Amino acid sequence: MSDKATRADWDEAAREETKGRDLTWDTPEGITVQPVYTAADTEGLDPGLPGFAPYTRGPYASMYTGRPWTIRQYAGFSTAEESNAFYRRNLAAGQKGLSVAFDLATHRGYDSDHGRVVGDVGKAGVAIDTVRDMEILFDQIPLDEMSVSMTMNGAVIPVMAFYIVAAERQGVSQDKLSGTIQNDILKEFMVRNTYIYPPEPSMRIVSDIIAYTSAKMPKFNSISISGYHMHEAGATAVQELAFTIADGKEYAKRAMEAGLDIDAFAPRLSFFWGIGMNFFMEIAKMRAGRKLWHDVMEGLGAQNPKSMMLRTHCQTSGVSLQEQDPYNNVIRTTIEAMAAVLGGTQSLHTNALDEAIALPTDFSARIARNTQLVIQEETGITNVADPLGGSYYIESLTDALVEEARKVLDEVEAAGGMTQYVASGKPKAQIEQAAAAKQARVDRGETVIVGVNKYRLPEEAEIDTLDIDNHAVRQSQIARIGKVRAGRDEKACQAALDALTEGAKGGANVLQLAVEAARHDATLGEISQAMEEAFGRYDTTPQPVRGVYSEAYSEDERYKQVVEGVKAVERRLGRAPKLMVAKMGQDGHDRGANVIASAFADMGFEVVSGPLFQTPEETRDMALAEDVDAIGASSLAAGHKTLIPELIGLLKDAGRPDIKVIAGGVIPQKDYDFLRDAGVQGIYGPGSNVVECAADVLRLLGHNMPPAGDELDEAAE
């Protein structure tokens, strides 16, 4: 009998089969992945068992063999009535828990009648202005039985207060409420930007919520420490892991500094991961996260094993969804859902196929929900706890992620903790660097996206999408706000709001005071404003990274054509062409805007980055003051049909119709003609090649750019 084959034998056979090609792969995380793994790669690695420290293989011993994960659908749109009907249909069809999406006006602490949110009301989630809205949202949904997850950070105090009071009016006491509030403000300052107050008072709010819920809501998770939005902003798996664990450590330390016993609140902390298309990396990321959190909590002195268990919700990636050939998104979501399950999630939301274009329809939401039902009911995956445990590759990858994440955690600790690290701007810059590098790999075809940069259809078929009548929703919300204000005891309401302001200035628990204000029917905007008087409002202007595109494209002929085109326009104008990148409305997702700003600056444009949350009037004023040639309006929250046409009208009224307005982001194809009729001169949806976008802008500015693929000397002619 022949001797057993060795790794050296395999290397020799593989080299011969592949003509000596290097088969290793360097991931964006800086981890070198080998083409084969053996027992030698896991020597000394012991992942333990599910349910036992350090919980690498899962927080519970039985995992899905005892009970499968909770199927959630993150949803909310238009009015409370519409969202309630959607929830009840989904619950009847097999969904097990609610996950509420709020509109951007609500996130940013504005009532629907505020002048800054004209284009945002009801667009990317449900509008909640009063306790009455919250009562309608959960009508005929028993809050003592239904677990409710609420993705809210900026306006977390009024939203929690409304939820508590709506339950009271339903006859449910606080101690019976179960679910999760996100309440993760640090990541907002890094990526998502739906903050309201500066970092320090924002951290005070986090601690107050942890204290309140620990005392009065023992079944409710006071915080969901979120890596998801870092993932969506372009973070690598190492960055998402390290920054999220560091955020969790910071929250725990703040709660302890406020006098809370770590074992009194830590068992109710939960996490939230984004799950992308690097299948095995995502599985290993979740396993590494549990190991890291166990070690962090042990280091902080936790004694209760439940304090050291990382329990998590997951959501499949939104940024991996594509506008082009959108039915491929069903496949992507299925793969990502499988990774979340094999990684050991406790609950899961699966994105719908049309979410790269618009809000999900009932049709697409059903497919997304059924994806989870099929995995649970048909695959046999739930029959074994951590079925990939012991895999040479998975265990090696898990260990590598732990090692790389610890390096970042050490850097954060040396900086004085995550609050100081966030204030330095380093994590935001690192994530933006990773996002720009990822976009460059996609544009160059190094990262394949089927139907986008490879195997693209010659013509895209239009699919039905959900369209929200923003004007009608806003008018109905304004009417309800008026009715609530007319029916309340105004003197008692104002007294409660004044008490909230004074309590915020002092050391009182602001959630306790906000609950009292909600009982007197104060609105979300009024509660937010009462705290703003004590805390102030926080604003920022993006500072995009530089050099990623110029380095990635240093040898690319098409990139050189565009750079030469920019120089030609500069010679004609006597200055570099000037592009303003504008984020209007209350959408704080700035990944796309920052990628565009970074790439265009590298190609020689002078780029002016507008501050987040501008109104069309503020965008016009800045564009005129900066004397820009073009404005790139970034839209991810369905505000393109209101905000962009308004901006174009304002430019015409100011006598500057010559300023070109282009649009990018999540814009359905069916809206393209509407935008062109309104005067938009270039539309660049998901999957657009950034270098070709720049070439198109040069054509709009009067430069005769050759089509893609022509030689550089033809461009020079």
Side-chain angles (χ1 to χ4, degrees):
M1 192 166 73
S2 63
D3 292 337
K4 193 173 184 180
T6 66
R7 172 63 190 268
D9 295 328
W10 184 92
D11 286 339
E12 184 178 345
R15 274 198 304 271
E16 185 175 328
E17 290 172 2
T18 60
K19 297 182 171 57
R21 195 169 71 247
D22 182 11
L23 299 180
T24 59
W25 169 45
D26 292 325
T27 74
E29 291 77 16
I31 296 170
T32 298
V33 173
Q34 302 168 182
V36 71
Y37 285 80
T38 69
D41 296 297
T42 58
E43 190 174 348
L45 298 180
D46 180 10
L49 290 167
F52 290 85
Y55 308 108
T56 307
R57 300 192 64 189
Y60 307 120
S62 60
M63 289 302 288
Y64 308 142
T65 65
R67 186 181 72 178
W69 66 93
T70 300
I71 297 174
R72 293 189 185 274
Q73 286 301 102
Y74 176 56
F77 51 86
S78 184
T79 61
E81 290 91 342
E82 290 284 342
S83 294
N84 173 261
F86 185 80
Y87 294 159
R88 284 161 56 192
R89 290 195 299 271
N90 284 3
L91 290 170
Q95 184 178 310
K96 300 301 183 185
L98 293 180
S99 190
V100 182
F102 298 94
D103 76 353
L104 291 165
T106 304
H107 273 287
R108 293 271 293 147
Y110 293 116
D111 287 333
S112 296
D113 59 358
H114 197 285
R116 298 194 72 87
V117 299
V118 173
D120 295 300
V121 176
K123 276 292 194 179
V126 61
I128 298 293
D129 296 304
T130 63
V131 174
R132 182 63 189 142
D133 287 330
M134 195 72 86
E135 289 181 88
I136 295 168
L137 186 68
F138 297 122
D139 181 41
Q140 299 181 56
I141 298 173
L143 292 177
D144 54 345
E145 300 175 16
M146 183 59 60
S147 170
V148 176
S149 173
M150 295 181 287
T151 301
M152 177 54 63
N153 302 282
V156 63
I157 290 293
V159 164
M160 276 293 290
F162 288 178
Y163 172 63
I164 290 166
V165 175
E168 287 177 353
R169 294 179 182 178
Q170 200 184 84
V172 178
S173 59
Q174 298 180 42
D175 62 308
K176 292 184 172 62
L177 295 174
S178 65
T180 304
I181 186 75
Q182 192 162 99
N183 192 29
D184 176 8
I185 201 64
L186 283 175
K187 69 99 170 52
E188 299 294 330
F189 293 108
M190 282 189 274
V191 288
R192 190 163 174 254
N193 301 311
T194 55
Y195 43 70
I196 300 175
Y197 314 109
E200 278 302 328
S202 295
M203 291 295 288
R204 147 93 178 277
I205 287 170
V206 172
S207 296
D208 281 1
I209 291 172
I210 292 173
Y212 184 97
T213 54
S214 294
K216 300 188 178 186
M217 303 170 69
K219 297 167 66 178
F220 198 84
N221 298 325
S222 57
I223 189 167
S224 176
I225 304 144
S226 175
Y228 181 84
H229 301 98
M230 300 180 207
H231 177 277
E232 294 297 274
T236 67
V238 167
Q239 289 169 342
E240 183 185 356
L241 257 182
F243 295 150
T244 306
I245 295 294
D247 282 352
K249 182 178 181 180
E250 188 83 346
Y251 295 134
K253 288 171 67 177
R254 289 299 183 105
M256 293 166 69
E257 289 167 7
L260 294 177
D261 174 28
I262 189 169
D263 287 320
F265 67 84
R268 302 312 304 173
L269 303 181
S270 67
F271 284 76
F272 177 21
W273 301 118
I275 305 296
M277 285 297 289
N278 189 347
F279 186 73
F280 293 107
M281 184 71 75
E282 297 298 342
I283 296 168
K285 178 181 75 181
M286 295 175 66
R287 301 170 93 254
R290 288 192 290 268
K291 162 68 173 162
L292 289 163
W293 184 242
H294 166 271
D295 294 351
V296 163
M297 296 305 283
E298 189 175 54
L300 290 177
Q303 300 296 314
N304 186 346
K306 291 183 178 179
S307 297
M308 298 181 245
M309 294 178 185
L310 186 156
R311 296 161 302 107
T312 191
H313 171 71
C314 288
Q315 181 173 339
T316 59
S317 174
V319 78
S320 73
L321 302 179
Q322 302 299 324
E323 177 186 21
Q324 295 82 7
D325 209 355
Y327 289 103
N328 287 341
N329 293 334
V330 177
I331 304 162
R332 294 184 179 103
T333 294
T334 303
I335 291 167
E336 291 167 352
M338 291 279 286
V341 169
L342 290 170
T345 191
Q346 278 59 69
S347 71
L348 177 62
H349 164 82
T350 33
N351 287 332
L353 67 96
D354 46 3
E355 287 188 60
I357 308 165
L359 291 167
T361 62
D362 277 0
F363 170 78
S364 64
R366 179 174 177 270
I367 294 173
R369 182 178 59 253
N370 285 350
T371 300
Q372 295 195 53
L373 291 171
V374 169
I375 295 172
Q376 277 193 6
E377 304 286 350
E378 298 187 24
T379 63
I381 284 175
T382 60
N383 296 334
V384 177
D386 189 31
L388 292 182
S391 155
Y392 300 144
Y393 180 31
I394 286 293
E395 299 301 353
S396 297
L397 201 51
T398 300
D399 186 61
L401 283 170
V402 168
E403 184 178 337
E404 292 301 315
R406 277 183 174 150
K407 294 175 185 176
V408 180
L409 286 166
D410 289 344
E411 185 177 325
V412 171
E413 196 67 23
M418 200 58 183
T419 303
Q420 278 71 33
Y421 201 62
V422 167
S424 74
K426 288 183 179 179
K428 186 174 181 65
Q430 290 168 22
I431 290 171
E432 288 178 6
Q433 187 93 6
K438 179 178 181 179
Q439 184 63 46
R441 290 194 299 274
V442 171
D443 287 350
R444 289 176 59 84
E446 294 163 4
T447 296
V448 172
I449 301 178
V450 174
V452 177
N453 62 2
K454 197 172 185 181
Y455 313 113
R456 187 156 183 170
L457 292 172
E459 186 175 342
E460 298 285 342
E462 190 174 300
I463 65 170
D464 290 333
T465 55
L466 182 66
D467 193 18
I468 302 296
D469 186 343
N470 162 251
H471 177 75
V473 173
R474 186 166 185 261
Q475 290 307 306
S476 71
Q477 289 299 120
I478 290 172
R480 184 175 295 149
I481 292 170
K483 188 174 181 180
V484 167
R485 284 180 175 147
R488 73 191 183 186
D489 182 336
E490 192 63 32
K491 185 177 179 181
C493 181
Q494 291 303 321
L497 289 168
D498 290 342
L500 175 56
T501 298
E502 291 307 308
K505 290 177 180 176
N509 188 292
V510 290
L511 179 53
Q512 176 73 54
L513 293 168
V515 168
E516 191 60 30
R519 287 176 179 139
H520 291 288
D521 287 309
T523 69
L524 176 131
E526 290 167 343
I527 292 173
S528 296
Q529 179 62 36
M531 291 189 293
E532 186 178 333
E533 289 178 21
F535 298 151
R537 183 172 275 267
Y538 185 80
D539 290 302
T540 187
T541 299
Q543 301 291 331
V545 298
R546 294 289 302 270
V548 173
Y549 267 78
S550 56
E551 180 179 344
Y553 280 85
S554 59
E555 303 301 320
D556 186 84
E557 293 303 312
R558 182 58 170 172
Y559 185 83
K560 291 177 182 177
Q561 285 181 350
V562 173
V563 170
E564 287 301 316
V566 173
K567 291 177 180 176
V569 173
E570 183 174 0
R571 289 191 294 270
R572 176 164 54 83
L573 297 177
R575 57 170 175 77
K578 188 180 285 191
L579 171 74
M580 177 180 175
V581 178
K583 283 290 296 180
M584 294 183 290
Q586 298 304 305
D587 172 37
H589 293 87
D590 59 355
R591 175 184 181 274
N594 289 338
V595 164
I596 290 295
S598 298
F600 274 61
D602 279 2
M603 287 182 270
F605 284 80
E606 182 179 347
V607 176
V608 177
S609 289
L612 299 175
F613 316 120
Q614 281 189 321
T615 63
E617 292 85 356
E618 289 166 343
T619 300
R620 172 205 60 196
D621 292 344
M622 188 172 184
L624 295 178
E626 294 283 350
D627 192 24
V628 302
D629 302 300
I631 301 172
S634 173
S635 173
L636 278 86
H640 55 275
K641 293 180 74 172
T642 53
L643 299 170
I644 298 176
E646 184 179 346
L647 171 63
I648 293 169
L650 290 167
L651 290 170
K652 288 179 180 176
D653 292 344
R656 292 299 309 272
D658 58 299
I659 296 177
K660 317 294 183 187
V661 176
I662 59 178
V666 179
I667 301 173
Q669 286 274 352
K670 67 179 183 179
D671 291 345
Y672 281 22
D673 287 342
F674 171 87
L675 290 175
R676 291 188 182 108
D677 290 343
V680 175
Q681 299 196 35
I683 305 171
Y684 312 103
S688 297
N689 182 293
V690 175
V691 177
E692 291 306 321
C693 292
D696 199 49
V697 171
L698 288 175
R699 285 192 286 270
L700 291 175
L701 297 178
H703 182 68
N704 187 25
M705 279 295 298
D710 286 9
E711 295 301 321
L712 183 62
D713 57 351
E714 292 177 2
E717 292 172 7

